[in-house]
Amino acid sequence: MTIKQIEHFLKLCELKNVSTSAKEFDISQSALSNSIKELENSLNGLLFDRINKNLILNQKGKAFLEMITPIYNSLKEVELKMQSRSILNLNILASQNTGNYLLADIIAELNDKFNIKFNIKNTYDIVNELLEHKCDLGVIESDIYDKNISKIKICDDELVVVTGDKNYADKEFYIDELAKFSWILRENGSGTRQTFLSQIPSDVRLNISLEINSTEAIKKALIGKKFFSVLPKFALSKDLYEVRIKNIKFKRDLSIVFHAKKDMDADFLRFVDELKDSIIYKLNAPSSLLP
């Protein structure tokens, strides 16, 4: 049974005439008749009674017509949606900070146009799932160098050292002056942790007293205490204080990443462009990011 055979059957049911139906498809009467016979063979029974050269829908044909019509209409609807690019299923992963502070409402808006499955993981897990073709794209704040991962940079992302102790607010220190104090960092595999530790001098050893895999939990643990951590600037809240570090700017790329061999069709690129533009627009309104 083919789509074309079903179309021939439905048209014949509608027009009730082989000659007229054949003309609709610009084929011969014999070609249409053969198509119907092949359909009947595939369904193991006649759909029409042949009476005086006329084809009259029989009981089996009526049952088939009732069952196949909604299925065919659904298939045509899918075809039209696909042709108009209104269907696009995407599995998206975002690093924790990007997912929680930038993407949650953006994804909700884009989901009106695209069918999106969205989840939050750390950078290490996102890269692994991309390499294993388990997701379509990721949004991360990390500098990735892997020949199998393609990257579209959104913008620069700045990390800042923060504390809950107001006495350190807006003061400048060398990183080694703060190393002896208690630090709370994200877990191994976090892009924030990886970027920060890779950019401080190799001879500086931080006193990491606690590792927490949630940025929000880290922020709450810092409030009012002489603990230090590092956060993306867009994730700061008013009850934490930025500490300026002399001679070091902790910068990285905020990027959309995907497998290097992924098919870059027009639909995918359209989504990437809309996602990138939405993130940039939100970052340019920093007051809206403060909890």
Side-chain angles (χ1 to χ4, degrees):
M1 181 172 60
T2 68
I3 296 294
K4 184 57 67 178
Q5 289 169 352
I6 293 170
E7 289 178 334
H8 291 163
F9 169 79
L10 293 174
K11 185 59 66 176
L12 193 54
C13 291
E14 175 190 353
L15 300 179
K16 300 179 176 60
N17 184 279
V18 175
S19 175
T20 306
S21 299
K23 289 179 181 178
E24 287 283 321
F25 295 104
D26 195 25
I27 59 176
S28 66
Q29 294 183 47
S30 60
L32 179 62
S33 297
N34 288 335
S35 176
I36 296 300
K37 287 179 182 177
E38 289 173 0
L39 176 62
E40 291 175 325
N41 289 336
S42 71
L43 298 177
N44 196 31
L46 298 178
L47 300 175
F48 295 92
D49 291 330
R50 275 72 173 172
I51 302 174
N52 297 327
K53 296 184 179 181
N54 294 319
L55 295 181
I56 308 298
L57 200 63
N58 64 19
Q59 64 278 0
K60 189 177 182 74
K62 292 175 183 177
F64 182 64
L65 176 63
E66 182 177 348
M67 290 186 290
I68 204 62
T69 298
I71 296 173
Y72 175 77
N73 289 339
S74 295
L75 288 173
K76 294 302 290 183
E77 182 180 356
V78 169
E79 181 182 37
L80 288 172
K81 286 184 177 181
M82 294 297 292
Q83 289 173 347
S84 65
R85 297 179 179 176
S86 58
I87 292 182
L88 192 64
N89 283 14
L90 286 164
N91 184 1
I92 300 173
L93 296 177
S95 56
Q96 187 178 131
N97 295 321
T98 304
N100 286 324
Y101 298 105
L102 291 180
L103 284 189
D105 54 343
I106 290 174
I107 292 297
E109 291 176 5
L110 290 176
N111 201 44
D112 291 337
K113 300 179 183 179
F114 308 93
N115 187 11
I116 299 172
K117 180 181 178 182
F118 177 62
N119 207 343
I120 295 174
K121 299 193 175 184
N122 70 30
T123 298
Y124 177 83
D125 291 332
I126 291 172
V127 171
N128 280 341
E129 294 213 15
L130 286 172
L131 293 174
E132 294 172 6
H133 307 284
K134 292 182 178 179
C135 71
D136 296 298
L137 63 84
V139 183
I140 61 174
E141 329 111 285
S142 184
D143 297 325
I144 296 296
Y145 303 99
D146 188 311
K147 65 179 182 180
N148 293 310
I149 299 292
S150 291
K151 180 174 75 171
I152 296 176
K153 181 177 177 178
I154 301 171
C155 61
D156 289 328
D157 175 46
E158 182 180 356
L159 297 176
V160 292
V161 173
V162 296
T163 183
D165 189 338
K166 190 175 182 179
N167 294 317
Y168 289 84
D170 292 323
K171 295 180 180 178
E172 280 193 326
F173 297 89
Y174 290 106
I175 189 65
D176 57 337
E177 295 180 278
L178 302 176
K180 62 183 178 181
F181 298 117
S182 294
W183 285 75
I184 304 175
L185 293 186
R186 287 281 307 279
E187 78 286 358
N188 284 320
S190 158
T192 298
R193 178 190 178 117
Q194 176 187 344
T195 299
F196 177 61
L197 293 181
S198 69
Q199 293 183 12
I200 65 176
S202 59
D203 59 341
V204 173
R205 295 289 181 267
L206 295 182
N207 176 25
I208 303 174
S209 60
L210 194 59
E211 294 180 351
I212 302 178
N213 65 355
S214 164
T215 297
E216 276 300 301
I218 290 175
K219 290 166 67 174
K220 289 179 181 179
L222 291 172
I223 295 174
K225 298 183 178 65
K226 193 178 177 179
F227 288 153
F228 293 82
S229 189
V230 61
L231 301 174
K233 197 157 192 173
F234 61 72
L236 289 183
S237 52
K238 296 175 182 177
D239 45 16
L240 297 179
Y241 307 102
E242 181 178 348
V243 182
R244 296 195 298 273
I245 304 301
K246 295 180 180 179
N247 300 331
I248 306 177
K249 285 289 187 183
F250 301 103
K251 295 219 172 189
R252 57 187 177 175
D253 291 344
L254 176 60
S255 304
I256 296 170
V257 291
F258 45 90
H259 199 286
K261 294 186 178 179
K262 183 171 183 59
D263 181 21
M264 300 286 287
D265 63 19
D267 291 344
F268 182 76
L269 290 174
R270 180 167 58 96
F271 174 81
V272 168
D273 285 342
E274 290 199 34
L275 179 61
K276 179 180 176 180
D277 290 345
S278 297
I279 293 173
I280 291 173
Y281 177 81
K282 185 165 185 178
L283 285 170
N284 287 333
S287 60
S288 66
L289 300 179
L290 291 177

